[in-house]
DNA sequence: ACCCAGGTGGCCC
DNA sequence: GGGCCACATGGG
């Protein structure tokens, strides 16, 4: 199948409005780091704790002690690394964009992306999810799930992040809303059916998928 | 007990 | 450019 039919098939099965709920860009950025290799339900709990502690702002998060932050984010795993990444990001944003984090997104896209990638703990996928879900920029997130789903459906076979991203950019136009919906739907699909050990029974793609090993 | 999770940095070749 | 490993908790 091709990418357009994958999109429309998924679109008729999933509703992904408000898929990444957040009250601010900073909250999206915090979630993007916390969710790395981590179940989203744990992220939700921790975000709510951070909100209760009033830590969902660059200023407050850069001022809280590392030890406190570590304890609060512990349920998300890799908590020592992530606590340092979060505090460093918060300090950077507070120093460079004291008026509003959203100033970060008002420069050229490539510059914003490079700036994000320069921060420890923010790799390509995290940078792009921030650009897409916080900045509403036309950048597709070529996550591991995406390469897996594209390969098994026969849409595209590649492990290269930039190749996959370029492919989607060239096939789907440049509407951020389309990118975020596709990404969300692919994640929902993959979590349920397209695991390392696949469970194809009940998959909405059914016979449109070219995956040959069907348990 | 097992597998999985909305990856990244550091190191190596 | 890629391959490997540590990082760590919690859910199904």
């Amino acid at each position: 199948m091709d990418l357009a039919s994958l999109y429309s098939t998924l679109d008729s099965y999933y509703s992904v409005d408000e898929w990444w709920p957040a009250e601010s860009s900073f909250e999206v950025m915090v979630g993007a780091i916390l969710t790395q290799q981590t179940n989203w339900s744990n992220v939700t709990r921790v975000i709510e704790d951070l909100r209760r502690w009033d830590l969902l702002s660059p200023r407050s998060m850069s001022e809280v002690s590392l030890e406190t932050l570590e304890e609060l984010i512990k349920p998300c795993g890799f908590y020592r690394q992530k606590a340092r990444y979060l505090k460093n990001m918060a300090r950077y944003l507070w120093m460079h964009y004291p008026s509003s984090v959203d100033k970060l997104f008002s420069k050229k896209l490539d510059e914003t992306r490079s700036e994000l990638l320069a921060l420890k703990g923010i790799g390509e996928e995290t940078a792009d999810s921030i650009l897409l879900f916080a900045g509403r920029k036309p950048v597709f997130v070529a996550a591991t799930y995406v390469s897996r789903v594209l390969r098994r459906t026969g849409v595209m076979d590649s492990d290269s992040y930039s190749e996959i991203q370029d492919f989607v950019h060239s096939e789907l136009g440049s509407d951020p809303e389309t990118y975020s919906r596709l990404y969300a739907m692919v994640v929902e699909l993959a979590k349920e059916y397209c695991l390392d050990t696949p469970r194809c029974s009940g998959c909405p793609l059914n016979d449109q998928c070219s995956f040959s090993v069907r348990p």
Side-chain angles (χ1 to χ4, degrees), chain A residues 16-54:
Chain A
V16 289
D17 301 321
E18 302 295 314
W19 187 72
W20 194 318
E23 293 177 12
S24 67
S25 297
F26 186 68
E27 188 176 327
V28 173
M29 299 176 80
V30 171
I33 288 180
L34 288 178
T35 196
Q36 291 167 1
Q37 204 63 33
T38 301
N39 195 306
W40 182 257
S41 60
N42 293 351
V43 178
T44 304
R45 283 170 42 200
V46 167
I47 294 261
E48 290 316 308
D49 284 344
L50 293 173
R51 197 190 314 285
R52 273 190 284 278
W53 283 65
D54 195 28

Side-chain angles (χ1 to χ4, degrees), chain A residues 10 18 24 39 42 46 52 55 81-82 85 90 121 125 130 137 142 144 146 154-155 189 201 203 210 213:
Chain A
L10 293 178
E18 302 295 314
S24 67
N39 195 306
N42 293 351
V46 167
R52 273 190 284 278
L55 289 175
Q81 297 189 81
K82 286 178 179 175
Y85 296 156
E125 182 171 336
I130 290 170
K137 299 295 179 183
T144 308
V146 175
V155 172
L189 176 80
S201 147
C203 176
S210 67
V213 189

Side-chain angles (χ1 to χ4, degrees), chain A residues 108-120:
Chain A
K108 281 188 62 180
L109 182 52
D110 290 345
E111 292 176 22
T112 309
R113 192 171 193 268
S114 305
E115 219 169 307
L116 289 168
L117 287 173
L119 294 171
K120 295 297 179 192

Side-chain angles (χ1 to χ4, degrees), chain A residues 63-120:
Chain A
E63 286 171 351
V64 75
S65 78
L66 190 59
E67 293 73 24
T68 303
L69 192 56
E70 285 181 353
E71 288 307 308
L72 283 169
I73 71 169
K74 201 169 262 188
C76 288
F78 306 131
Y79 64 93
R80 293 212 271 213
Q81 297 189 81
K82 286 178 179 175
R84 278 186 277 110
Y85 296 156
L86 287 173
K87 258 187 79 74
N88 179 62
M89 176 179 76
R91 185 172 60 245
Y92 178 86
L93 294 171
W94 174 234
M95 286 177 59
H96 292 265
Y97 307 97
S99 63
S100 166
V101 170
D102 291 308
K103 299 284 183 192
L104 169 66
F105 302 110
S106 62
K107 49 183 72 176
K108 281 188 62 180
L109 182 52
D110 290 345
E111 292 176 22
T112 309
R113 192 171 193 268
S114 305
E115 219 169 307
L116 289 168
L117 287 173
L119 294 171
K120 295 297 179 192

